């Protein structure tokens, strides 16, 4: 199938394989660069500065880089049933225990160690705070800075 093509019916089968060598090079660069910069925003900016567009043909965003970095397809895994939708109903995000994971079923382009190192960095950056702790930190910032902005904390 070519870019933008869709399967006609559910019973049609396709083979999934890596994209063209330029796309594979960009994906590998993104993973390597994240291990250095640790910032999806920096990577998106650098990709846009180089004039590279995402797979959707749009400019790169922090969110697009984040989605790419979490995609297990790059290590050869496919995951199904993450979302489901019945006729004329809203999309439902299914819990991970309802996902179907097929490991090693496609050709990987990213080393597993690199992929899991990136995932560990992303997860370790995440801070879960109670509402009370968040308010305490915001009050402290307000007293110190005299005002709050959207990235206060």
């Amino acid at each position: 199938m070519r870019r933008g093509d869709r399967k006609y019916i559910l019973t049609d089968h396709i083979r999934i394989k890596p994209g063209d060598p330029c796309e594979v090079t960009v994906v590998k660069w993104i993973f390597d660069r994240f291990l250095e910069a640790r910032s999806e925003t920096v990577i998106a900016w650098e990709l846009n500065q180089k004039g590279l567009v995402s797979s959707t043909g749009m400019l790169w965003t922090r969110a697009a880089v984040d989605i790419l970095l979490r995609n297990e397809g790059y290590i050869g895994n496919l995951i199904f049933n993450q979302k489901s939708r019945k006729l004329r109903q809203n999309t439902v995000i299914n819990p991970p225990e309802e996902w179907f994971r097929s490991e090693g079923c496609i050709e990987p382009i990213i080393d597993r160690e690199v992929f899991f190192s990136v995932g560990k960095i992303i997860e370790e950056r995440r801070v879960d705070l109670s509402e009370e702790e968040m308010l305490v930190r915001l009050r402290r910032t307000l007293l110190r800075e005299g005002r709050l902005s959207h990235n206060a904390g």
Side-chain angles (χ1 to χ4, degrees):
M1 296 177 74
R2 291 181 301 277
R3 183 179 305 280
D5 286 351
R6 301 274 187 232
K7 292 188 338 173
Y8 183 65
I9 55 175
L10 290 175
T11 56
D12 283 349
H13 294 275
I14 60 169
R15 293 190 188 272
I16 298 174
K17 63 180 187 169
D20 68 57
C22 291
E23 289 176 337
V24 172
T25 301
V26 170
V27 169
K28 288 180 178 182
W29 179 85
I30 290 171
F31 276 89
D32 292 340
R33 185 68 179 115
F34 183 82
L35 292 174
E36 297 169 7
R38 297 178 181 232
S39 169
E40 294 91 333
T41 304
V42 167
I43 294 169
W45 183 83
E46 290 174 354
L47 289 165
N48 291 330
Q49 288 299 114
K50 292 178 181 185
L52 299 171
V53 293
S54 69
S55 61
T56 62
M58 306 294 285
L59 291 176
W60 285 92
T61 63
R62 187 211 65 76
V65 173
D66 184 66
I67 290 168
L68 184 143
L69 291 170
R70 293 173 186 261
N71 186 344
E72 288 189 33
Y74 296 116
I75 58 170
N77 298 347
L78 291 178
I79 303 173
F80 300 95
N81 201 42
Q82 289 177 301
K83 297 177 184 175
S84 57
R85 186 176 141 190
K86 296 196 167 117
L87 292 175
R88 297 189 177 142
Q89 292 181 0
N90 292 332
T91 301
V92 175
I93 298 175
N94 295 320
E97 57 271 9
E98 291 183 12
W99 297 355
F100 296 102
R101 175 177 271 109
S102 182
E103 297 191 10
C105 62
I106 57 176
E107 180 184 339
I109 61 173
I110 298 297
D111 180 71
R112 291 178 74 81
E113 281 186 38
V114 170
F115 182 84
F116 289 119
S117 295
V118 165
K120 185 176 180 188
I121 291 167
I122 291 170
E123 286 305 311
E124 287 176 350
R125 287 189 314 198
R126 181 184 169 99
V127 178
D128 288 326
L129 299 174
S130 68
E131 196 170 308
E132 184 177 315
E133 177 62 24
M134 193 181 322
L135 288 172
V136 167
R137 289 183 181 200
L138 285 169
R139 282 187 194 105
R140 210 177 302 145
T141 301
L142 178 60
L143 288 173
R144 185 177 64 244
E145 303 294 328
R147 66 184 185 89
L148 296 176
S149 66
H150 70 281
N151 60 356

